[in-house]
Amino acid sequence: MKAFRIMLACTAIVAFIGSSIAFATGFNIGASGTKKVTFSNRVGANQITFESSAPLEDIQGTANDISGSIMLDPSNIEATTGMITVKVKSMETGIKKRDSHLMGGDWLNEEQYPTITFAIKSLKNVKSISNDNGKSAVQAIAVGDFTMHGVTRQLEVPVTLTYIRESEKTKERAPGDLVMVQGDFSIALKDFKVEGSKGTVGSKVGETIKLKANFFGSTGL
Amino acid sequence: MNIWKAIVYLCAIGVLVVAILWLVDGMQIYTKTGSQVITIDELWGTKEVKWIPDFQLGLLPSAPSLSMEALSALPIAGILAVVGFIAFRISRRGSVPRP
């Protein structure tokens, strides 16, 4: 009976250690230790594209003035934290007058709220999707605070992280290991108190906006 | 051919030209001043969208102001149609033989 209890305790300890190890997901490319990944257009074109679909018109736009960084441990991706900042003024939709309306008080009020930010607190549900030739990618859910128009809401954003070890080819872009973060999510305008000019939301502008983000950074910048 | 008939023909041609321009510019609902150019990043395989100045005539003006955005197919074609119709009526009245 005593031997059974010892065996049970040992099994429990092994299971606990095993689950702790399994909890930390890595890129499996021989890199470890927390690194600061600074986003830069040298690595790739940092850009957010947004889409609004409404009965009268579909609008496509971009935002290009993006800065920020993440703290990433390639052997423990769940512990990733960071901050991404987008300048509202860099938003374009292909109609200059519409762009200036977008910055105005009825919409994003650029004068009072010049930036949109996403503060990443952690990543969860990390799954490896590819790993070859010094390039590894994972899918995850980024949990963080999204702030727009002075309103902060916690969002869970599905992201793909791609990590490339430094090589002669990557050095042509920037020194250090390179990282790409891609996100795909939607936001409801009313959640961020963006009301728009009278009668516009729902007819000319969609009530929800689809966003696709591409961020590129390096550990050597 | 009197002047009124000439105006009718000119207006009809004008409406046709505006319609063709709108069709060629992609049948946009609102007039646009920029279009997208997409480039692919070879290292990452991602798309980058850039905007270039490119006037595209829409059906309706995208801004009620004195700017390029105010130009649009429907108001221009509408004005031409009205002017053409008035010229047509005048030309018909002029051609009716007096008793």
Side-chain angles (χ1 to χ4, degrees):
Chain A
M1 190 66 185
K2 197 178 175 184
F4 177 72
R5 278 183 187 164
I6 292 166
M7 210 171 77
L8 200 69
C10 287
T11 311
I13 290 164
V14 168
F16 176 73
I17 294 167
S19 65
S20 301
I21 293 166
F23 181 73
T25 316
F27 280 111
N28 296 323
I29 48 170
S32 63
T34 304
K35 297 164 195 285
K36 185 180 182 184
V37 177
T38 307
F39 297 125
S40 165
N41 286 335
R42 278 175 66 185
V43 184
N46 287 286
Q47 187 169 66
I48 291 174
T49 56
F50 54 91
E51 264 184 54
S52 149
S53 191
L56 281 177
E57 198 185 15
D58 290 338
I59 299 167
Q60 290 182 326
T62 58
N64 293 318
D65 197 339
I66 295 159
S67 59
S69 63
I70 54 169
M71 298 303 290
L72 172 70
D73 180 353
S75 60
N76 182 13
I77 298 165
E78 283 84 355
T80 301
T81 57
M83 174 66 101
I84 296 159
T85 305
V86 181
K87 283 201 177 146
V88 172
K89 217 168 196 169
S90 71
M91 292 168 83
E92 284 182 85
T93 64
I95 298 174
K96 280 179 189 167
K97 276 280 168 194
R98 182 166 61 193
D99 297 345
S100 63
H101 289 162
L102 188 61
M103 311 293 148
D106 286 340
W107 296 91
L108 295 177
N109 199 352
E110 187 271 333
E111 212 168 283
Q112 203 173 338
Y113 310 110
T115 58
I116 295 169
T117 60
F118 186 50
I120 302 166
K121 290 176 175 173
S122 65
L123 296 186
K124 65 177 189 180
N125 301 347
V126 182
K127 278 188 293 186
S128 176
I129 51 169
S130 70
N131 187 4
D132 64 334
N133 239 353
K135 186 177 179 180
S136 181
V138 296
Q139 279 181 337
I141 305 287
V143 182
D145 289 334
F146 188 89
T147 304
M148 185 173 88
H149 197 238
V151 179
T152 302
R153 291 181 78 93
Q154 185 164 306
L155 282 191
E156 294 194 352
V157 178
V159 292
T160 303
L161 275 84
T162 307
Y163 195 101
I164 305 180
R165 291 302 303 267
E166 187 176 34
S167 67
E168 288 307 314
K169 196 179 172 189
T170 63
K171 277 181 193 168
E172 289 170 13
R173 297 270 176 121
D177 297 343
L178 305 186
V179 176
M180 171 173 70
V181 183
Q182 291 179 295
D184 208 331
F185 62 109
S186 296
I187 52 164
L189 291 177
K190 68 174 181 188
D191 287 349
F192 295 91
K193 294 182 181 164
V194 179
E195 288 165 0
S197 44
K198 204 177 176 186
T200 315
V201 176
S203 60
K204 278 178 154 183
V205 178
E207 288 168 0
T208 57
I209 308 293
K210 283 185 194 170
L211 297 130
K212 279 185 184 177
N214 286 337
F215 305 127
F216 302 89
S218 163
T219 59
L221 290 172
Chain B
M1 187 165 65
N2 66 28
I3 185 114
W4 297 111
K5 272 191 178 171
I7 291 171
V8 172
Y9 286 124
L10 279 174
C11 287
I13 292 164
V15 170
L16 262 175
V17 169
V18 168
I20 290 165
L21 279 175
W22 177 67
L23 283 166
V24 170
D25 278 353
M27 293 187 284
Q28 310 280 352
I29 293 179
Y30 295 99
T31 294
K32 290 183 176 170
T33 50
S35 64
Q36 295 183 350
V37 175
I38 295 170
T39 51
I40 306 287
D41 186 311
E42 282 178 20
L43 179 68
W44 300 104
T46 51
K47 286 178 186 173
E48 184 195 356
V49 179
K50 283 180 182 165
W51 292 97
I52 53 160
D54 178 25
F55 181 81
Q56 294 163 64
L57 190 72
L59 204 58
L60 299 166
S62 55
S65 61
L66 285 172
S67 60
M68 289 298 277
E69 284 100 330
L71 283 176
S72 57
L74 213 55
I76 296 169
I79 290 166
L80 287 172
V82 170
V83 171
F85 179 72
I86 292 166
F88 174 73
R89 291 294 298 266
I90 293 169
S91 71
R92 282 284 299 270
R93 209 175 289 164
S95 66
V96 174
R98 286 180 186 172

